Amino acid sequence: MQHLPKTEVARRIVREKICPNCDQRAPGSDGLPLSVARSCEAACPVFRHIDELLRIAANDGGPRLERYELRILDRICNRACTEPTHGDYCLKALNVTCPLARFMGQIIAELQRLPELEEFKPTH
């Protein structure tokens, strides 16, 4: 039996649980199988930063959303985002048009259900 890489499993979960509710999804992509990347994914911060989101989900156990918000803001929005107004005062985040800002709690909750998440936890 062949196992998919964790990032591919995470992408499929996002396509199933998050993408149907996103207003930025590619037209006509609803009928595609979960294994097929959508044309909107290249510009989507959720897909661009899926590895970091997996690390955040693995390391920040517990139900408190503010932990995720701070980690996502620090690790992704302030350091790796390519939007011109990224960071604390990002226009897309403030207007909740950024898929990452809009769905971050749901994304982290879905990714935390992955049993393979242990691999993303740091060893001390």
Side-chain angles (χ1 to χ4, degrees):
M1 185 166 98
Q2 184 178 3
H3 294 282
L4 293 171
K6 280 94 182 130
T7 53
E8 179 57 27
V9 173
R11 284 182 178 101
R12 291 179 185 198
I13 288 171
V14 170
R15 287 178 195 135
E16 177 184 17
K17 303 290 186 180
I18 308 301
C19 294
N21 300 311
C22 182
D23 60 348
Q24 296 179 34
R25 72 184 180 277
S29 63
D30 292 340
L32 295 173
L34 297 177
S35 58
V36 175
R38 279 63 174 156
S39 60
C40 53
E41 290 180 21
C44 179
V46 176
F47 287 94
R48 285 196 321 245
H49 302 291
I50 198 78
D51 286 329
E52 189 60 37
L53 290 168
L54 280 164
R55 280 189 279 284
I56 291 169
N59 297 330
D60 297 343
R64 298 184 58 195
L65 179 59
E66 59 269 14
R67 287 185 187 169
Y68 308 124
E69 290 175 344
L70 292 174
R71 300 250 195 281
I72 288 170
L73 183 64
D74 178 52
R75 295 182 193 170
I76 298 173
C77 300
N78 287 333
R79 294 185 190 176
C81 184
T82 57
E83 290 297 322
T85 61
H86 68 279
D88 292 333
Y89 302 103
C90 176
L91 291 178
K92 284 191 170 188
L94 292 172
N95 293 326
V96 198
T97 58
C98 172
L100 182 56
R102 183 172 174 206
F103 299 111
M104 73 171 72
Q106 186 181 354
I107 292 166
I108 295 299
E110 293 294 341
L111 294 180
Q112 281 187 325
R113 293 187 179 133
L114 286 172
E116 301 90 354
L117 216 53
E118 281 298 314
E119 183 177 304
F120 285 86
K121 290 188 178 185
T123 56
H124 298 286

